Amino acid sequence: MDIALYPAQEPLNENAAAYHAYLIERAQGLTPLEFNYGPDPYQSLALFPADKPDGRVLLFFHGGGWTNGYKEWMSFMAPALNAKGITFVTAGYRLAPVHTFPTGFNDCAQALDWLWSNVNAYGGDASKIFVGGHSAGGHYAAMLGVTEATAAGVPCRTRIRGCVPVSGVYYFGDNSGMAVRPRFLGPLEAGLDQRASPLYLVDQGLPPFLLTWGDNDFPHLKRQALEMKAALAEQGNIVDTLELPGCNHFTASYAAGDIDGVWVNAVDVWSGRLLT
């Protein structure tokens, strides 16, 4: 979809604007199949079938602080994953401040539901769906991994074979290390911080997690990832970690699309091992 056709978002800061420009340029020439899972333009997904699909599917959500971003940001990842036989899907979701939690998360669950119902027609196998995302998208991916079903009854974690967030956010509140409380949580009195925190929702029987961050990532996100690892392991869940050398918060995202790169190879091996 043409970026200009989306409803307006919050203005991008300098770092985010450079990130946006780089990702759009890197995706030039890619032509996905596009679908809507809801009536809003942001409720859409782009599907990139592999030439030689092996059934694995990766559904990936963009970052942007819950107030910015487009599914098109993550399109650049498709060639590297398609080369491994993985059907790649990037999905959008409605954004704050217009839409607060759990709207964006419910959208991600609806995207997963659409994929589970339709991906077999495009070279994927609905029993081999993995979910991931970068930054805020990593938060939503982790929420899918720890949630049984949305309030509307849409199944989440039971449809996921593994969760692969990159530089994700795993909890909110006084000890989160975040300088500003994200606006997608709404007013403090709404009490959504804990309900929106995957770390506080961890229990037994979750899909396996591969938690990734850059070695120069934001310190609070590295700390949160290690705490998420400990919480998952304490409940007996499978959890692995990957630190991307030389990467900060933004370049960790770039690395997720590198042909034969560290992250792509790790996800290929890790997901393949889970399916054997």
Side-chain angles (χ1 to χ4, degrees), residues 25-55:
E25 175 62 28
R26 196 163 165 182
Q28 287 296 311
L30 300 179
T31 54
L33 303 173
E34 297 208 45
F35 303 95
N36 288 88
Y37 62 86
D40 191 278
Y42 286 105
Q43 294 174 304
S44 60
L45 51 84
L47 188 151
F48 296 83
D51 288 338
K52 297 180 180 179
D54 62 15

Side-chain angles (χ1 to χ4, degrees), residues 61 105 108-109 112 131 139-147 156-157 160:
F61 302 102
F105 168 65
C108 293
L112 174 63
V131 299
H139 163 253
Y140 280 146
M143 282 293 295
L144 290 174
V146 300
T147 302
C156 299
R157 71 193 201 192
I160 297 170

